Amino acid sequence: MTYEFLKELGIEEVNSGVAYGPFLDKPSGGELVSESPIDGKPIAKVLKASSADYEMVMSKAAAAFKSWRMVPGPKRAEVVRAIGDELRKYKEPLGKLVTLEMGKILPEGLGEVQEMIDMADFAVGQGRMLYGLTMQSERVRHRMMEQWHPLGAVGVISAFNFPVAVYAWNSMLAAVCGDVTVWKPSSNTPLTAVATHRIFHRVAERFGYGEGVFNLVIGGGREVGEMMLKDQRIPLVSATGSTDVGRKVAVRVGERLGRTILELGGNNAVVVLDDADMKIVVPAVLFGAVGTAGQRCTSTRRVLLQKGIASEFTQRLLKAYAQVKIGNPLKDGTLMGPLVNKGAVSDMQAGLAKIREQGGEVLCGGEVLSGPGFESGCYVKPCIVKARRDMPIVQDEIFAPILYLIEVKDVDEAIEVHNDVPQGLSSSMFTLNMRHAERFLSPEGSDCGIANINIGTSGAEIGGAFGGEKETGGGRESGSDSWKQYMRRQTNTLNYSTELPLAQGVKFGD
């Protein structure tokens, strides 16, 4: 290991990937080598969970829930507050590890850790706001109310593209709600999970909750993942990934009538009308399409251009793409790093072949880069394609920096084309026309879970509920009232009269 920041995070040459709070010394599920897409070299090894290891962790988690659920919400929030403070201390090394292992540029890696910190701050306040309602009873001297109780163990299956932030969305809310968390991270980014768990556990242990509240099981989907999906002790599974993965998760968990939060594919579009402010629309599209090398679920995939502005916008965007510096994401000035692995590169090239077969015109980019600095084989040039709405490939999400430009005649066609895909995550319209903007946000406008005006599709704030409709899965994480998914609702009626009146005026007997 040549990176000093790994030592700060406690990352060794061989690391346990299984923890029920403390790490298991020798998990028996085999070895996983984490390689950096920056240079293709191994970073460190992780020992995976076997089925026996998973069972041990789950027994600890189930036991811990029985006591953790009785800790008052504000007291649970104090643990989360301290986790946020600890993350502040390790923001730089953890952000660098995100970049090293996943490939996003360092400002994005640091930003992801900052999102964890912000989520901790949000969850701390939520610990005092797990509100229920009081309702008017139709019966004399009766009181009706609802309460929210802790749910149980929450299974979190996270993806490589946000290897720590999505875990924080779930685990911090789950913690203040009185739940324990069992985390199965992506096998592409196991070291970030090990480092993050180490931080969480250190704090929890300091407060006297060293076992079972935060748990980690790194392992294959066919073994550990399947066990988690079928486990009756996990009432809620939150999964981030492709739509195909989401279908499998929904079926497996649904078979046992468990709950799911699904954050799946996005095919996000930006509508650019003739009156759009070019000073902001071009950088918004550039960041949305190129940021994280096009590997965000909110990445901009389609730009729907009103014909009057199409030519000017295209030229400006091509000029902006020509200035994108591609290279080592740990270095200053780099705007786009590598894709996560060679498989992602192959998927991108296969997608481009289909695009050309279907009549798409590649205006720039798409090449795999080689030579000094690009030895890993994971670097590509971001690609702009002039496309048509009827191309079948436009219906699919290619998780890579490929951007479609599609012309539309007016706002009616723009909204129609925008909604004519199976995914429904994030959307945006650039216009100075108040009527068009309001229409896009209305019931007849965007059918996505996120709809923006004059900002791009990427970069959602944690204060709002995050998630989408249709094949995006319908789940919601992070802000607003997303906390309710991590709890069970209970309706209570209290009779303080001397009679037993029945609801709806029902009379039973004399």
Side-chain angles (χ1 to χ4, degrees):
M1 297 186 297
T2 59
Y3 297 97
E4 288 298 317
F5 61 82
L6 295 178
K7 296 180 182 178
E8 294 181 60
L9 297 168
I11 299 299
E12 302 174 342
E13 290 186 12
V14 180
N15 305 270
S16 172
V18 183
Y20 58 91
F23 283 92
L24 269 67
D25 287 337
K26 294 181 180 179
S28 55
E31 254 185 16
L32 173 64
V33 179
S34 177
E35 296 180 352
S36 174
I38 295 175
D39 55 14
K41 296 179 180 179
I43 306 170
K45 297 177 181 179
V46 175
L47 301 179
K48 299 186 293 183
S50 65
S51 57
D53 297 329
Y54 170 85
E55 183 57 38
M56 192 277 290
V57 169
M58 274 308 306
S59 65
K60 294 285 189 179
F65 172 66
K66 292 179 180 180
S67 56
W68 181 244
R69 64 185 174 182
M70 296 306 297
V71 177
K75 296 296 184 182
R76 298 190 295 251
E78 285 300 316
V79 179
V80 173
R81 182 196 301 277
I83 290 172
D85 290 341
E86 195 76 358
L87 286 168
R88 286 177 170 89
K89 297 178 186 177
Y90 290 91
K91 177 180 175 178
E92 183 173 348
L94 187 55
K96 287 180 177 179
L97 178 53
V98 169
T99 292
L100 176 66
E101 193 169 38
M102 183 266 154
K104 63 175 62 176
I105 61 174
L106 184 56
E108 292 186 84
L110 296 171
E112 184 168 349
V113 181
Q114 183 62 49
E115 190 164 336
M116 299 177 78
I117 296 167
D118 294 342
M119 194 66 215
D121 291 347
F122 179 90
V124 168
Q126 194 67 68
R128 293 183 183 271
M129 298 186 293
L130 304 175
Y131 297 140
L133 299 174
T134 298
M135 291 79 77
Q136 291 294 313
S137 174
E138 66 187 49
R139 291 171 283 188
V140 176
R141 293 189 176 90
H142 282 59
R143 179 163 66 89
M144 289 180 63
M145 67 178 188
E146 68 178 20
Q147 300 184 88
W148 293 88
H149 292 310
L151 185 60
V154 176
V156 179
I157 301 174
S158 60
F160 74 86
N161 57 335
F162 282 88
V164 292
V166 172
Y167 172 64
W169 291 356
N170 288 276
S171 62
M172 290 178 178
L173 281 183
V176 298
C177 289
D179 301 329
V180 300
T181 305
V182 182
W183 182 20
K184 181 192 175 302
S186 168
S187 294
N188 286 305
T189 52
L191 297 177
T192 54
V194 169
T196 299
H197 177 81
R198 196 178 296 279
I199 291 170
F200 277 52
H201 169 61
R202 185 161 57 242
V203 173
E205 188 175 41
R206 192 166 74 230
F207 279 81
Y209 306 111
E211 289 191 7
V213 176
F214 300 106
N215 306 275
L216 177 68
V217 282
I218 296 175
R222 292 184 178 179
E223 184 170 23
V224 173
E226 284 287 337
M227 293 181 72
M228 180 181 288
L229 299 183
K230 295 177 180 179
D231 199 328
Q232 292 281 2
R233 294 166 295 183
I234 300 180
L236 172 65
V237 175
S238 176
T240 303
S242 67
T243 298
D244 288 342
V245 168
R247 287 193 179 97
K248 180 179 179 181
V249 171
V251 170
R252 294 288 190 274
V253 179
E255 285 174 343
R256 58 178 175 85
L257 300 182
R259 305 184 193 179
T260 55
I261 299 172
L262 300 176
E263 299 290 357
L264 311 176
N267 196 350
N268 315 295
V270 171
V271 175
V272 184
L273 300 183
D274 284 348
D275 64 346
D277 184 345
M278 284 292 187
K279 293 190 301 296
I280 61 174
V281 66
V282 172
V285 170
L286 179 68
F287 173 70
V290 174
T292 322
Q295 296 172 115
R296 290 178 177 235
C297 51
T298 56
S299 289
T300 305
R301 308 292 181 196
R302 300 174 293 146
V303 181
L304 310 180
L305 297 166
Q306 196 168 1
K307 290 186 177 180
I309 207 170
S311 178
E312 180 188 356
F313 174 86
T314 301
Q315 292 308 310
R316 288 194 181 206
L317 190 64
L318 285 168
K319 184 177 180 181
Y321 265 55
Q323 299 171 20
V324 172
K325 184 178 179 181
I326 305 166
N328 187 326
L330 285 168
K331 292 184 177 179
D332 292 342
T334 300
L335 290 183
M336 190 178 114
L339 297 184
V340 68
N341 54 37
K342 291 181 180 179
V345 175
S346 297
D347 289 344
M348 179 179 178
Q349 296 309 304
L352 285 170
K354 289 183 179 179
I355 287 168
R356 293 185 173 95
E357 289 173 6
Q358 295 173 17
E361 180 186 354
V362 177
L363 300 181
C364 74
E367 303 92 340
V368 180
L369 298 175
S370 60
F374 304 123
E375 290 87 354
S376 69
C378 296
Y379 293 86
V380 298
K381 284 189 177 181
C383 181
I384 300 176
V385 175
K386 187 174 182 180
R388 304 183 316 276
R389 64 174 294 187
D390 62 349
M391 292 167 55
I393 192 72
V394 175
Q395 298 289 312
D396 300 327
E397 180 190 37
I398 302 173
F399 218 58
I402 298 175
L403 181 67
Y404 301 113
L405 304 185
I406 301 172
E407 289 191 13
V408 294
K409 63 181 180 180
D410 54 25
V411 69
D412 292 331
E413 186 180 12
I415 292 174
E416 178 186 343
V417 175
H418 176 279
N419 293 343
D420 189 28
V421 293
Q423 308 86 357
L425 180 52
S426 187
S427 60
S428 176
M429 175 180 281
F430 281 80
T431 181
L432 301 180
N433 185 306
M434 178 268 291
R435 290 176 176 172
H436 293 334
E438 289 289 347
R439 183 178 174 192
F440 189 69
L441 303 183
S442 77
E444 65 177 355
S446 167
D447 62 0
C448 294
I450 299 169
N452 300 325
I453 299 296
N454 293 331
I455 64 171
T457 61
S458 287
E461 297 184 35
I462 58 104
F466 181 90
E469 301 299 324
K470 302 189 291 187
E471 289 190 0
T472 300
R476 292 296 185 276
E477 293 172 317
S478 190
S480 186
D481 63 349
S482 297
W483 63 270
K484 293 181 178 179
Q485 296 168 106
Y486 302 89
M487 305 196 81
R488 57 181 177 89
R489 188 196 306 250
Q490 184 181 81
T491 301
N492 310 122
T493 305
L494 293 84
N495 176 7
Y496 59 98
S497 75
T498 58
E499 307 292 334
L500 188 65
L502 301 179
Q504 294 85 46
V506 172
K507 302 293 183 181
F508 187 75
D510 295 331

